Amino acid sequence: MAALYLRAKGYRILARRVKLPVGEVDLIASRKGLIAFVEVKARATERLAIEAVTATSWQRINRAAESWMARQTELNQHDWRFDLIAILPRRLPIHYRDMWRP
């Protein structure tokens, strides 16, 4: 659902469920020269979705993002950020852009 939502917003999905020894990323998407490393959380409320991703989680996602970007030399010129998508019951997904910075 989160990938479909991002595609509808003009993002191109580069990878899903990326698992590396240093961490994992739910979605990697690009739009207008920007790479978004997206954590997806399905929870009952927005607050629970936001609180589900701790600083430790973001650090693991950052390590995975750095490792993934090191292997994607063609994307070296792109900026990147860390986003969160909250999947809530009976609602459209909520996209939090630039949710965390290392």
Side-chain angles (χ1 to χ4, degrees), residues 28-54:
I28 303 172
S30 69
R31 185 172 94 172
K32 298 179 183 175
L34 176 81
I35 306 295
F37 294 91
V38 184
E39 181 69 4
V40 180
K41 290 295 179 188
R43 297 291 187 271
T45 67
E46 284 181 63
R47 181 178 176 202
L48 290 174
I50 291 169
E51 290 174 351
V53 189
T54 65

Side-chain angles (χ1 to χ4, degrees), residues 69-80:
M69 286 297 287
R71 299 170 192 203
Q72 311 299 320
T73 56
E74 72 279 5
L75 300 176
N76 283 344
Q77 300 303 316
H78 289 66
D79 289 328
W80 37 303

